[in-house]
PDB file of all heavy atoms in Angstrom:
ATOM      1  N   HIS T 130     155.049-132.746 101.050  1.00  0.00           N
ATOM      2  CA  HIS T 130     153.740-132.165 101.551  1.00  0.00           C
ATOM      3  C   HIS T 130     152.487-132.893 100.831  1.00  0.00           C
ATOM      4  O   HIS T 130     151.502-133.026 101.430  1.00  0.00           O
ATOM      5  CB  HIS T 130     153.678-130.690 101.026  1.00  0.00           C
ATOM      6  CG  HIS T 130     152.459-130.022 101.575  1.00  0.00           C
ATOM      7  ND1 HIS T 130     152.222-129.666 102.866  1.00  0.00           N
ATOM      8  CD2 HIS T 130     151.345-129.564 100.795  1.00  0.00           C
ATOM      9  CE1 HIS T 130     151.051-128.981 102.984  1.00  0.00           C
ATOM     10  NE2 HIS T 130     150.493-128.976 101.774  1.00  0.00           N
ATOM     11  N   TYR T 131     152.598-133.227  99.489  1.00  0.00           N
ATOM     12  CA  TYR T 131     151.451-133.789  98.737  1.00  0.00           C
ATOM     13  C   TYR T 131     151.446-135.233  98.694  1.00  0.00           C
ATOM     14  O   TYR T 131     152.546-135.842  98.430  1.00  0.00           O
ATOM     15  CB  TYR T 131     151.449-133.030  97.361  1.00  0.00           C
ATOM     16  CG  TYR T 131     151.176-131.501  97.351  1.00  0.00           C
ATOM     17  CD1 TYR T 131     152.160-130.751  96.911  1.00  0.00           C
ATOM     18  CD2 TYR T 131     149.972-131.094  97.724  1.00  0.00           C
ATOM     19  CE1 TYR T 131     151.861-129.330  96.810  1.00  0.00           C
ATOM     20  CE2 TYR T 131     149.708-129.711  97.731  1.00  0.00           C
ATOM     21  CZ  TYR T 131     150.631-128.860  97.206  1.00  0.00           C
ATOM     22  OH  TYR T 131     150.473-127.457  97.184  1.00  0.00           O
ATOM     23  N   ARG T 132     150.265-135.872  98.596  1.00  0.00           N
ATOM     24  CA  ARG T 132     150.115-137.208  98.408  1.00  0.00           C
ATOM     25  C   ARG T 132     149.090-137.481  97.294  1.00  0.00           C
ATOM     26  O   ARG T 132     148.158-136.619  97.268  1.00  0.00           O
ATOM     27  CB  ARG T 132     149.622-138.052  99.638  1.00  0.00           C
ATOM     28  CG  ARG T 132     150.544-138.014 100.811  1.00  0.00           C
ATOM     29  CD  ARG T 132     149.905-138.686 101.992  1.00  0.00           C
ATOM     30  NE  ARG T 132     150.688-138.420 103.248  1.00  0.00           N
ATOM     31  CZ  ARG T 132     151.741-138.971 103.591  1.00  0.00           C
ATOM     32  NH1 ARG T 132     152.399-139.725 102.844  1.00  0.00           N
ATOM     33  NH2 ARG T 132     152.355-138.585 104.768  1.00  0.00           N
ATOM     34  N   GLU T 133     149.115-138.507  96.495  1.00  0.00           N
ATOM     35  CA  GLU T 133     148.086-138.790  95.553  1.00  0.00           C
ATOM     36  C   GLU T 133     147.386-140.048  95.672  1.00  0.00           C
ATOM     37  O   GLU T 133     147.904-140.931  96.367  1.00  0.00           O
ATOM     38  CB  GLU T 133     148.705-138.764  94.104  1.00  0.00           C
ATOM     39  CG  GLU T 133     149.595-139.975  93.788  1.00  0.00           C
ATOM     40  CD  GLU T 133     150.085-140.150  92.352  1.00  0.00           C
ATOM     41  OE1 GLU T 133     149.246-140.534  91.603  1.00  0.00           O
ATOM     42  OE2 GLU T 133     151.180-139.595  92.175  1.00  0.00           O
ATOM     43  N   TYR T 134     146.151-139.885  95.195  1.00  0.00           N
ATOM     44  CA  TYR T 134     145.218-141.171  95.294  1.00  0.00           C
ATOM     45  C   TYR T 134     144.408-141.266  94.003  1.00  0.00           C
ATOM     46  O   TYR T 134     143.984-140.325  93.439  1.00  0.00           O
ATOM     47  CB  TYR T 134     144.207-140.956  96.521  1.00  0.00           C
ATOM     48  CG  TYR T 134     144.929-140.771  97.841  1.00  0.00           C
ATOM     49  CD1 TYR T 134     145.320-139.528  98.200  1.00  0.00           C
ATOM     50  CD2 TYR T 134     145.230-141.845  98.704  1.00  0.00           C
ATOM     51  CE1 TYR T 134     146.048-139.274  99.538  1.00  0.00           C
ATOM     52  CE2 TYR T 134     145.904-141.640  99.804  1.00  0.00           C
ATOM     53  CZ  TYR T 134     146.238-140.401 100.225  1.00  0.00           C
ATOM     54  OH  TYR T 134     146.949-140.199 101.501  1.00  0.00           O
ATOM     55  N   THR T 135     144.214-142.466  93.636  1.00  0.00           N
ATOM     56  CA  THR T 135     143.475-142.744  92.443  1.00  0.00           C
ATOM     57  C   THR T 135     141.921-142.567  92.607  1.00  0.00           C
ATOM     58  O   THR T 135     141.371-143.086  93.621  1.00  0.00           O
ATOM     59  CB  THR T 135     143.687-144.282  91.917  1.00  0.00           C
ATOM     60  OG1 THR T 135     145.170-144.412  91.835  1.00  0.00           O
ATOM     61  CG2 THR T 135     142.926-144.618  90.667  1.00  0.00           C
ATOM     62  N   VAL T 136     141.282-141.944  91.685  1.00  0.00           N
ATOM     63  CA  VAL T 136     139.777-141.889  91.664  1.00  0.00           C
ATOM     64  C   VAL T 136     139.435-142.760  90.507  1.00  0.00           C
ATOM     65  O   VAL T 136     139.784-142.499  89.299  1.00  0.00           O
ATOM     66  CB  VAL T 136     139.276-140.437  91.417  1.00  0.00           C
ATOM     67  CG1 VAL T 136     137.801-140.465  91.219  1.00  0.00           C
ATOM     68  CG2 VAL T 136     139.675-139.564  92.572  1.00  0.00           C
ATOM     69  N   ASP T 137     138.785-143.944  90.810  1.00  0.00           N
ATOM     70  CA  ASP T 137     138.587-144.926  89.737  1.00  0.00           C
ATOM     71  C   ASP T 137     137.666-144.346  88.618  1.00  0.00           C
ATOM     72  O   ASP T 137     136.807-143.516  88.976  1.00  0.00           O
ATOM     73  CB  ASP T 137     137.940-146.104  90.281  1.00  0.00           C
ATOM     74  CG  ASP T 137     138.864-147.008  91.010  1.00  0.00           C
ATOM     75  OD1 ASP T 137     140.104-147.139  90.707  1.00  0.00           O
ATOM     76  OD2 ASP T 137     138.450-147.574  92.057  1.00  0.00           O
ATOM     77  N   THR T 138     137.879-144.768  87.410  1.00  0.00           N
ATOM     78  CA  THR T 138     136.982-144.493  86.233  1.00  0.00           C
ATOM     79  C   THR T 138     136.335-145.770  85.732  1.00  0.00           C
ATOM     80  O   THR T 138     137.134-146.584  85.319  1.00  0.00           O
ATOM     81  CB  THR T 138     137.936-143.814  85.157  1.00  0.00           C
ATOM     82  OG1 THR T 138     138.537-142.763  85.670  1.00  0.00           O
ATOM     83  CG2 THR T 138     137.021-143.425  83.908  1.00  0.00           C
ATOM     84  N   PRO T 139     135.047-145.729  85.938  1.00  0.00           N
ATOM     85  CA  PRO T 139     134.480-147.072  85.456  1.00  0.00           C
ATOM     86  C   PRO T 139     134.733-147.315  83.987  1.00  0.00           C
ATOM     87  O   PRO T 139     134.818-146.474  83.139  1.00  0.00           O
ATOM     88  CB  PRO T 139     132.936-146.712  85.574  1.00  0.00           C
ATOM     89  CG  PRO T 139     132.871-145.738  86.667  1.00  0.00           C
ATOM     90  CD  PRO T 139     134.179-144.867  86.474  1.00  0.00           C
ATOM     91  N   GLY T 140     134.945-148.678  83.754  1.00  0.00           N
ATOM     92  CA  GLY T 140     135.218-149.131  82.415  1.00  0.00           C
ATOM     93  C   GLY T 140     136.614-149.266  81.947  1.00  0.00           C
ATOM     94  O   GLY T 140     136.919-149.799  80.942  1.00  0.00           O
ATOM     95  N   LEU T 141     137.481-148.675  82.795  1.00  0.00           N
ATOM     96  CA  LEU T 141     138.900-148.704  82.479  1.00  0.00           C
ATOM     97  C   LEU T 141     139.567-149.817  83.129  1.00  0.00           C
ATOM     98  O   LEU T 141     139.207-150.183  84.335  1.00  0.00           O
ATOM     99  CB  LEU T 141     139.633-147.375  82.886  1.00  0.00           C
ATOM    100  CG  LEU T 141     139.269-146.113  82.123  1.00  0.00           C
ATOM    101  CD1 LEU T 141     140.143-144.938  82.685  1.00  0.00           C
ATOM    102  CD2 LEU T 141     139.481-146.227  80.699  1.00  0.00           C
ATOM    103  N   ASP T 142     140.584-150.487  82.580  1.00  0.00           N
ATOM    104  CA  ASP T 142     141.354-151.624  83.212  1.00  0.00           C
ATOM    105  C   ASP T 142     142.672-151.091  83.696  1.00  0.00           C
ATOM    106  O   ASP T 142     143.612-151.878  83.901  1.00  0.00           O
ATOM    107  CB  ASP T 142     141.458-152.671  82.246  1.00  0.00           C
ATOM    108  CG  ASP T 142     142.238-152.460  80.960  1.00  0.00           C
ATOM    109  OD1 ASP T 142     142.575-151.208  80.760  1.00  0.00           O
ATOM    110  OD2 ASP T 142     142.435-153.407  80.172  1.00  0.00           O
ATOM    111  N   HIS T 143     142.859-149.828  83.915  1.00  0.00           N
ATOM    112  CA  HIS T 143     144.015-149.188  84.431  1.00  0.00           C
ATOM    113  C   HIS T 143     143.544-148.039  85.312  1.00  0.00           C
ATOM    114  O   HIS T 143     142.354-147.783  85.548  1.00  0.00           O
ATOM    115  CB  HIS T 143     145.030-148.776  83.397  1.00  0.00           C
ATOM    116  CG  HIS T 143     144.403-147.836  82.312  1.00  0.00           C
ATOM    117  ND1 HIS T 143     144.251-146.479  82.481  1.00  0.00           N
ATOM    118  CD2 HIS T 143     143.927-148.133  81.105  1.00  0.00           C
ATOM    119  CE1 HIS T 143     143.710-145.969  81.494  1.00  0.00           C
ATOM    120  NE2 HIS T 143     143.482-146.883  80.677  1.00  0.00           N
ATOM    121  N   ARG T 144     144.535-147.407  85.972  1.00  0.00           N
ATOM    122  CA  ARG T 144     144.319-146.231  86.950  1.00  0.00           C
ATOM    123  C   ARG T 144     143.497-145.022  86.260  1.00  0.00           C
ATOM    124  O   ARG T 144     142.795-144.341  86.974  1.00  0.00           O
ATOM    125  CB  ARG T 144     145.461-145.770  87.502  1.00  0.00           C
ATOM    126  CG  ARG T 144     146.021-146.820  88.539  1.00  0.00           C
ATOM    127  CD  ARG T 144     147.426-146.323  89.094  1.00  0.00           C
ATOM    128  NE  ARG T 144     147.072-145.224  90.088  1.00  0.00           N
ATOM    129  CZ  ARG T 144     147.943-144.255  90.344  1.00  0.00           C
ATOM    130  NH1 ARG T 144     149.144-144.215  89.743  1.00  0.00           N
ATOM    131  NH2 ARG T 144     147.715-143.260  91.120  1.00  0.00           N
ATOM    132  N   GLY T 145     143.682-144.920  85.100  1.00  0.00           N
ATOM    133  CA  GLY T 145     143.000-143.672  84.380  1.00  0.00           C
ATOM    134  C   GLY T 145     143.761-142.402  84.743  1.00  0.00           C
ATOM    135  O   GLY T 145     144.789-142.348  85.234  1.00  0.00           O
ATOM    136  N   ALA T 146     142.976-141.303  84.558  1.00  0.00           N
ATOM    137  CA  ALA T 146     143.587-139.934  84.726  1.00  0.00           C
ATOM    138  C   ALA T 146     143.142-139.291  85.886  1.00  0.00           C
ATOM    139  O   ALA T 146     143.732-138.143  86.313  1.00  0.00           O
ATOM    140  CB  ALA T 146     143.354-139.095  83.453  1.00  0.00           C
ATOM    141  N   ARG T 147     142.133-139.713  86.603  1.00  0.00           N
ATOM    142  CA  ARG T 147     141.370-138.990  87.739  1.00  0.00           C
ATOM    143  C   ARG T 147     142.169-139.339  89.071  1.00  0.00           C
ATOM    144  O   ARG T 147     142.572-140.404  89.212  1.00  0.00           O
ATOM    145  CB  ARG T 147     140.051-139.311  87.778  1.00  0.00           C
ATOM    146  CG  ARG T 147     139.297-139.062  86.504  1.00  0.00           C
ATOM    147  CD  ARG T 147     137.811-139.282  86.617  1.00  0.00           C
ATOM    148  NE  ARG T 147     137.307-140.448  87.215  1.00  0.00           N
ATOM    149  CZ  ARG T 147     136.031-140.787  87.274  1.00  0.00           C
ATOM    150  NH1 ARG T 147     135.155-139.965  86.730  1.00  0.00           N
ATOM    151  NH2 ARG T 147     135.622-141.803  87.894  1.00  0.00           N
ATOM    152  N   ARG T 148     142.532-138.158  89.784  1.00  0.00           N
ATOM    153  CA  ARG T 148     143.245-138.379  91.042  1.00  0.00           C
ATOM    154  C   ARG T 148     142.786-137.315  92.010  1.00  0.00           C
ATOM    155  O   ARG T 148     142.220-136.220  91.617  1.00  0.00           O
ATOM    156  CB  ARG T 148     144.724-138.030  90.878  1.00  0.00           C
ATOM    157  CG  ARG T 148     145.448-138.837  89.835  1.00  0.00           C
ATOM    158  CD  ARG T 148     145.843-140.286  90.431  1.00  0.00           C
ATOM    159  NE  ARG T 148     146.683-140.866  89.463  1.00  0.00           N
ATOM    160  CZ  ARG T 148     146.245-141.622  88.422  1.00  0.00           C
ATOM    161  NH1 ARG T 148     145.042-141.563  88.176  1.00  0.00           N
ATOM    162  NH2 ARG T 148     147.076-142.194  87.681  1.00  0.00           N
ATOM    163  N   ILE T 149     142.880-137.665  93.265  1.00  0.00           N
ATOM    164  CA  ILE T 149     142.783-136.650  94.474  1.00  0.00           C
ATOM    165  C   ILE T 149     144.200-136.543  94.879  1.00  0.00           C
ATOM    166  O   ILE T 149     145.006-137.519  95.210  1.00  0.00           O
ATOM    167  CB  ILE T 149     141.774-137.114  95.500  1.00  0.00           C
ATOM    168  CG1 ILE T 149     140.366-137.030  95.033  1.00  0.00           C
ATOM    169  CG2 ILE T 149     142.030-136.441  96.778  1.00  0.00           C
ATOM    170  CD1 ILE T 149     139.367-137.433  96.009  1.00  0.00           C
ATOM    171  N   VAL T 150     144.643-135.224  95.083  1.00  0.00           N
ATOM    172  CA  VAL T 150     145.940-135.020  95.740  1.00  0.00           C
ATOM    173  C   VAL T 150     145.697-134.187  96.986  1.00  0.00           C
ATOM    174  O   VAL T 150     144.907-133.376  97.021  1.00  0.00           O
ATOM    175  CB  VAL T 150     146.754-134.048  94.748  1.00  0.00           C
ATOM    176  CG1 VAL T 150     148.114-133.685  95.450  1.00  0.00           C
ATOM    177  CG2 VAL T 150     147.073-134.905  93.549  1.00  0.00           C
ATOM    178  N   THR T 151     146.247-134.696  98.012  1.00  0.00           N
ATOM    179  CA  THR T 151     146.001-134.032  99.365  1.00  0.00           C
ATOM    180  C   THR T 151     147.349-133.341  99.808  1.00  0.00           C
ATOM    181  O   THR T 151     148.463-133.716  99.401  1.00  0.00           O
ATOM    182  CB  THR T 151     145.752-135.019 100.418  1.00  0.00           C
ATOM    183  OG1 THR T 151     146.723-135.943 100.677  1.00  0.00           O
ATOM    184  CG2 THR T 151     144.437-135.781 100.118  1.00  0.00           C
ATOM    185  N   GLY T 152     147.279-132.321 100.673  1.00  0.00           N
ATOM    186  CA  GLY T 152     148.410-131.668 101.167  1.00  0.00           C
ATOM    187  C   GLY T 152     148.357-131.481 102.660  1.00  0.00           C
ATOM    188  O   GLY T 152     147.363-130.946 103.220  1.00  0.00           O
ATOM    189  N   GLY T 153     149.417-131.852 103.320  1.00  0.00           N
ATOM    190  CA  GLY T 153     149.555-131.611 104.791  1.00  0.00           C
ATOM    191  C   GLY T 153     149.377-132.966 105.525  1.00  0.00           C
ATOM    192  O   GLY T 153     149.087-133.991 105.050  1.00  0.00           O
ATOM    193  N   GLU T 154     149.538-132.793 106.868  1.00  0.00           N
ATOM    194  CA  GLU T 154     149.455-133.980 107.830  1.00  0.00           C
ATOM    195  C   GLU T 154     148.286-133.820 108.740  1.00  0.00           C
ATOM    196  O   GLU T 154     147.781-132.609 108.986  1.00  0.00           O
ATOM    197  CB  GLU T 154     150.747-133.984 108.545  1.00  0.00           C
ATOM    198  CG  GLU T 154     152.001-134.313 107.762  1.00  0.00           C
ATOM    199  CD  GLU T 154     152.041-135.697 107.272  1.00  0.00           C
ATOM    200  OE1 GLU T 154     151.392-136.686 107.900  1.00  0.00           O
ATOM    201  OE2 GLU T 154     152.708-135.898 106.330  1.00  0.00           O
ATOM    202  N   PRO T 155     147.804-134.903 109.241  1.00  0.00           N
ATOM    203  CA  PRO T 155     148.185-136.224 109.079  1.00  0.00           C
ATOM    204  C   PRO T 155     147.531-136.729 107.736  1.00  0.00           C
ATOM    205  O   PRO T 155     146.670-136.103 107.192  1.00  0.00           O
ATOM    206  CB  PRO T 155     147.534-136.989 110.192  1.00  0.00           C
ATOM    207  CG  PRO T 155     146.353-136.130 110.648  1.00  0.00           C
ATOM    208  CD  PRO T 155     146.792-134.776 110.432  1.00  0.00           C
ATOM    209  N   PRO T 156     147.993-137.795 107.202  1.00  0.00           N
ATOM    210  CA  PRO T 156     147.489-138.314 105.953  1.00  0.00           C
ATOM    211  C   PRO T 156     145.968-138.515 105.867  1.00  0.00           C
ATOM    212  O   PRO T 156     145.315-138.345 104.858  1.00  0.00           O
ATOM    213  CB  PRO T 156     148.190-139.587 105.638  1.00  0.00           C
ATOM    214  CG  PRO T 156     149.504-139.362 106.405  1.00  0.00           C
ATOM    215  CD  PRO T 156     149.127-138.689 107.712  1.00  0.00           C
ATOM    216  N   GLU T 157     145.430-138.943 107.036  1.00  0.00           N
ATOM    217  CA  GLU T 157     144.021-139.247 107.189  1.00  0.00           C
ATOM    218  C   GLU T 157     143.113-137.954 107.188  1.00  0.00           C
ATOM    219  O   GLU T 157     141.978-137.983 107.245  1.00  0.00           O
ATOM    220  CB  GLU T 157     143.698-140.203 108.338  1.00  0.00           C
ATOM    221  CG  GLU T 157     144.267-141.603 108.145  1.00  0.00           C
ATOM    222  CD  GLU T 157     145.714-141.597 108.623  1.00  0.00           C
ATOM    223  OE1 GLU T 157     146.159-140.481 109.328  1.00  0.00           O
ATOM    224  OE2 GLU T 157     146.442-142.481 108.322  1.00  0.00           O
ATOM    225  N   ASP T 158     143.788-136.823 107.574  1.00  0.00           N
ATOM    226  CA  ASP T 158     142.975-135.542 107.684  1.00  0.00           C
ATOM    227  C   ASP T 158     143.862-134.450 107.238  1.00  0.00           C
ATOM    228  O   ASP T 158     144.350-133.526 108.060  1.00  0.00           O
ATOM    229  CB  ASP T 158     142.719-135.386 109.249  1.00  0.00           C
ATOM    230  CG  ASP T 158     141.712-134.157 109.425  1.00  0.00           C
ATOM    231  OD1 ASP T 158     141.053-133.726 108.533  1.00  0.00           O
ATOM    232  OD2 ASP T 158     141.668-133.718 110.639  1.00  0.00           O
ATOM    233  N   PRO T 159     144.144-134.334 106.042  1.00  0.00           N
ATOM    234  CA  PRO T 159     145.109-133.386 105.484  1.00  0.00           C
ATOM    235  C   PRO T 159     144.502-132.011 105.401  1.00  0.00           C
ATOM    236  O   PRO T 159     143.285-131.797 105.490  1.00  0.00           O
ATOM    237  CB  PRO T 159     145.404-133.793 104.063  1.00  0.00           C
ATOM    238  CG  PRO T 159     144.118-134.618 103.727  1.00  0.00           C
ATOM    239  CD  PRO T 159     143.712-135.270 104.948  1.00  0.00           C
ATOM    240  N   GLU T 160     145.281-130.891 105.319  1.00  0.00           N
ATOM    241  CA  GLU T 160     144.921-129.516 105.312  1.00  0.00           C
ATOM    242  C   GLU T 160     144.115-129.223 104.051  1.00  0.00           C
ATOM    243  O   GLU T 160     143.133-128.514 104.061  1.00  0.00           O
ATOM    244  CB  GLU T 160     146.085-128.558 105.365  1.00  0.00           C
ATOM    245  CG  GLU T 160     146.890-128.850 106.678  1.00  0.00           C
ATOM    246  CD  GLU T 160     148.329-128.174 106.488  1.00  0.00           C
ATOM    247  OE1 GLU T 160     148.506-127.207 105.706  1.00  0.00           O
ATOM    248  OE2 GLU T 160     149.151-128.636 107.246  1.00  0.00           O
ATOM    249  N   THR T 161     144.559-129.744 102.842  1.00  0.00           N
ATOM    250  CA  THR T 161     143.958-129.372 101.586  1.00  0.00           C
ATOM    251  C   THR T 161     143.734-130.569 100.679  1.00  0.00           C
ATOM    252  O   THR T 161     144.508-131.567 100.895  1.00  0.00           O
ATOM    253  CB  THR T 161     144.909-128.350 100.762  1.00  0.00           C
ATOM    254  OG1 THR T 161     146.221-128.945 100.653  1.00  0.00           O
ATOM    255  CG2 THR T 161     145.013-127.028 101.448  1.00  0.00           C
ATOM    256  N   TRP T 162     142.688-130.478  99.959  1.00  0.00           N
ATOM    257  CA  TRP T 162     142.345-131.735  98.990  1.00  0.00           C
ATOM    258  C   TRP T 162     142.219-131.051  97.581  1.00  0.00           C
ATOM    259  O   TRP T 162     141.434-130.045  97.488  1.00  0.00           O
ATOM    260  CB  TRP T 162     140.983-132.230  99.508  1.00  0.00           C
ATOM    261  CG  TRP T 162     140.807-132.842 100.764  1.00  0.00           C
ATOM    262  CD1 TRP T 162     140.898-132.260 102.007  1.00  0.00           C
ATOM    263  CD2 TRP T 162     140.900-134.252 100.997  1.00  0.00           C
ATOM    264  NE1 TRP T 162     140.894-133.206 102.972  1.00  0.00           N
ATOM    265  CE2 TRP T 162     140.805-134.367 102.494  1.00  0.00           C
ATOM    266  CE3 TRP T 162     140.867-135.344 100.170  1.00  0.00           C
ATOM    267  CZ2 TRP T 162     140.714-135.718 103.057  1.00  0.00           C
ATOM    268  CZ3 TRP T 162     140.789-136.636 100.859  1.00  0.00           C
ATOM    269  CH2 TRP T 162     140.731-136.749 102.152  1.00  0.00           C
ATOM    270  N   TYR T 163     142.607-131.693  96.558  1.00  0.00           N
ATOM    271  CA  TYR T 163     142.473-131.204  95.217  1.00  0.00           C
ATOM    272  C   TYR T 163     142.104-132.421  94.370  1.00  0.00           C
ATOM    273  O   TYR T 163     142.353-133.577  94.609  1.00  0.00           O
ATOM    274  CB  TYR T 163     143.931-130.784  94.616  1.00  0.00           C
ATOM    275  CG  TYR T 163     144.538-129.524  95.412  1.00  0.00           C
ATOM    276  CD1 TYR T 163     145.405-129.774  96.492  1.00  0.00           C
ATOM    277  CD2 TYR T 163     144.159-128.286  95.168  1.00  0.00           C
ATOM    278  CE1 TYR T 163     146.040-128.734  97.198  1.00  0.00           C
ATOM    279  CE2 TYR T 163     144.649-127.193  95.866  1.00  0.00           C
ATOM    280  CZ  TYR T 163     145.506-127.408  96.801  1.00  0.00           C
ATOM    281  OH  TYR T 163     146.043-126.336  97.468  1.00  0.00           O
TER     282      TYR T 163
END
Side-chain angles (χ1 to χ4, degrees):
H130 183 76
Y131 294 115
R132 299 179 195 282
E133 70 171 280
Y134 302 89
T135 305
V136 175
D137 287 326
T138 303
L141 293 183
D142 61 355
H143 54 81
R144 290 177 68 208
R147 303 187 312 184
R148 302 282 187 278
I149 285 181
V150 173
T151 63
E154 295 289 336
E157 298 82 15
D158 190 21
E160 299 164 25
T161 54
W162 297 75
Y163 299 96

